[in-house]
Amino acid sequence: MDFFRRTLLAGVGSSLAMPILPSFANSFAYDLKAQRIAENSYVIVGETEFFTMKNGGNIVNIAFISTKDGVVVIDTGPSRRYGIALKKLIKETTGQDVIRVYNTHFHPDHFLGNQVFGAEKIAALPKTIAGLKTTGEGFSDNLYRLLGDWMRATEVTIPEIEVTFSSEKFGAHRFEMLPMSGHTDADLAILDHHTGVLYTGDLCFLDRAATTPHANLSKWYDSLKELKKIPHKIVFPGHGPADPTDRSIEQTESYLRWLEAELIASVKSGKDMIEAAKMPIPKEFQSIKVIHDEIERSVAHLYPNLEEKLLPFVGQGNK
Ligand SMILES: [Zn+2]
């Protein structure tokens, strides 16, 4: 009996000293797969989920384009480990080195792989760079909390090239810079004139609910209107699959317009934020991934401003 107790206690002791970690802790390896969507043009489509320890933040869309001068990369993922996996995949797929990286905007799933490529090769809109300087570390800290060891050795790397030019040409590919806003203060869409692929960053989502922590909805609608007018063959959104039919532009707009109208109606009928978040989802949006979670977040992001705008001021000095 003593023997068993001692063995049991020894077992307990050792398991306390070395806790059994969940199986994903053994690898921390991203399984990235390139998908060809046009001539010389490859994309990695992230999971349509929120950041979890299981996905390591692989929830974002990345693109790379092989040109005669080198590879052009659009966004770099959520961590240094992701950046390393991306660089390896680019080399295996194209046999080439990276010549240019664009960051579409300052959200952490899009830029925290930057350090692997070198700041001197990375270009972003001036307001994106300013945003990264003030908020980049905070974003990074937050992902360390959410993703733990997936983030090991990740450091914020600020792009050194300001996108103040209208286009850049690498080999046969002319990349037109389309500075816009609405998802954030500065959203860079990019049109590859050689292939007709329109890379929109998070101005477009497809079958994954749009995120709104830095949104200005009226500017976002203006940008979507502009995107629709630009001649293109395929849209590659920031989240969700490549889109040859513009469904990503249309769905993002109709989702945001529905969400805004629901929130306005809720404010006007005096609902609080918790009640407002319980809005019924119309059939056309029911299959959109993480919609319930994102609606809760969007209520937190957008409701206070709408209340301020729409509710009559009642307070001191009001006669
Ligand atoms: Zn974003």
Side-chain angles (χ1 to χ4, degrees):
M1 193 64 182
D2 273 358
F3 168 75
F4 285 112
R5 273 179 65 190
R6 271 204 311 277
T7 313
L8 191 64
L9 286 171
V12 169
S14 64
S15 74
L16 282 176
M18 286 188 292
I20 297 160
L21 295 169
S23 58
F24 54 73
N26 296 328
S27 60
F28 293 105
Y30 293 97
D31 182 24
L32 304 184
K33 296 209 167 51
Q35 187 187 321
R36 186 180 177 280
I37 59 163
E39 186 191 343
N40 307 325
S41 307
Y42 303 88
V43 297
I44 302 159
V45 177
E47 304 290 342
T48 44
E49 299 171 353
F50 191 63
F51 299 103
T52 66
M53 278 300 283
K54 191 161 176 280
N55 63 37
N58 177 17
I59 61 163
V60 62
N61 283 354
I62 305 293
F64 59 94
I65 302 99
S66 162
T67 81
K68 207 156 56 70
D69 297 336
V71 177
V72 173
V73 183
I74 301 177
D75 286 336
T76 60
S79 65
R80 175 178 169 273
R81 288 185 195 274
Y82 187 102
I84 290 170
L86 172 60
K87 202 173 184 180
K88 187 167 163 264
L89 181 67
I90 290 170
K91 193 78 184 181
E92 284 165 4
T93 309
T94 67
Q96 293 174 290
D97 293 323
V98 170
I99 187 166
R100 170 72 69 246
V101 175
Y102 299 108
N103 286 157
T104 58
H105 65 297
F106 80 149
H107 283 158
D109 44 337
H110 295 261
F111 77 86
L112 280 167
N114 277 3
Q115 80 197 84
V116 173
F117 298 95
E120 71 288 350
K121 284 185 191 163
I122 308 175
L125 289 170
K127 275 190 189 168
T128 300
I129 293 174
L132 286 172
K133 284 179 182 164
T134 54
T135 332
E137 292 296 339
F139 281 143
S140 169
D141 289 350
N142 195 33
L143 283 205
Y144 268 91
R145 274 192 292 275
L146 291 168
L147 302 178
D149 205 84
W150 285 101
M151 296 296 291
R152 185 182 289 265
T154 301
E155 283 171 12
V156 173
T157 300
I158 308 286
E160 284 182 6
I161 303 166
E162 291 200 340
V163 172
T164 51
F165 43 86
S166 59
S167 72
E168 275 194 299
K169 198 166 183 217
F170 298 104
H173 296 253
R174 186 165 71 83
F175 295 92
E176 186 178 348
M177 304 290 112
L178 302 161
M180 297 185 183
S181 65
H183 173 67
T184 68
D185 226 14
D187 297 295
L188 179 63
I190 298 167
L191 176 67
D192 180 349
H193 278 267
H194 186 67
T195 58
V197 181
L198 179 58
Y199 301 91
T200 67
D202 283 3
L203 288 167
C204 293
F205 287 69
L206 183 55
D207 298 333
R208 196 269 184 220
T211 63
T212 57
H214 305 96
N216 177 319
L217 294 180
S218 65
K219 287 185 178 167
W220 201 336
Y221 302 141
D222 289 346
S223 296
L224 290 166
K225 209 165 151 191
E226 249 182 90
L227 287 171
K228 232 184 273 181
K229 279 195 252 160
I230 294 163
H232 59 270
K233 288 185 183 148
I234 301 175
V235 175
F236 188 56
H239 298 264
D243 167 26
T245 64
D246 282 4
R247 208 161 65 84
S248 55
I249 303 178
E250 283 145 23
Q251 189 186 73
T252 304
E253 179 172 1
S254 57
Y255 171 74
L256 292 173
R257 284 198 188 274
W258 163 76
L259 180 67
E260 187 183 30
E262 283 291 321
L263 294 181
I264 288 171
S266 294
V267 170
K268 286 185 172 167
S269 66
K271 287 183 183 166
D272 64 24
M273 282 167 62
I274 292 170
E275 290 168 319
K278 288 179 189 150
M279 62 183 78
I281 315 260
K283 211 168 156 225
E284 61 173 311
F285 301 138
Q286 279 174 5
S287 60
I288 292 181
K289 297 286 185 328
V290 295
I291 189 164
H292 294 282
D293 293 338
E294 288 303 346
I295 284 175
E296 277 178 24
R297 290 191 190 98
S298 290
V299 170
H301 304 145
L302 305 171
Y303 216 62
N305 275 347
L306 285 173
E307 281 183 322
E308 206 182 294
K309 210 167 89 184
L310 297 169
L311 291 181
F313 176 73
V314 182
Q316 282 185 344
N318 211 25
K319 289 178 185 169

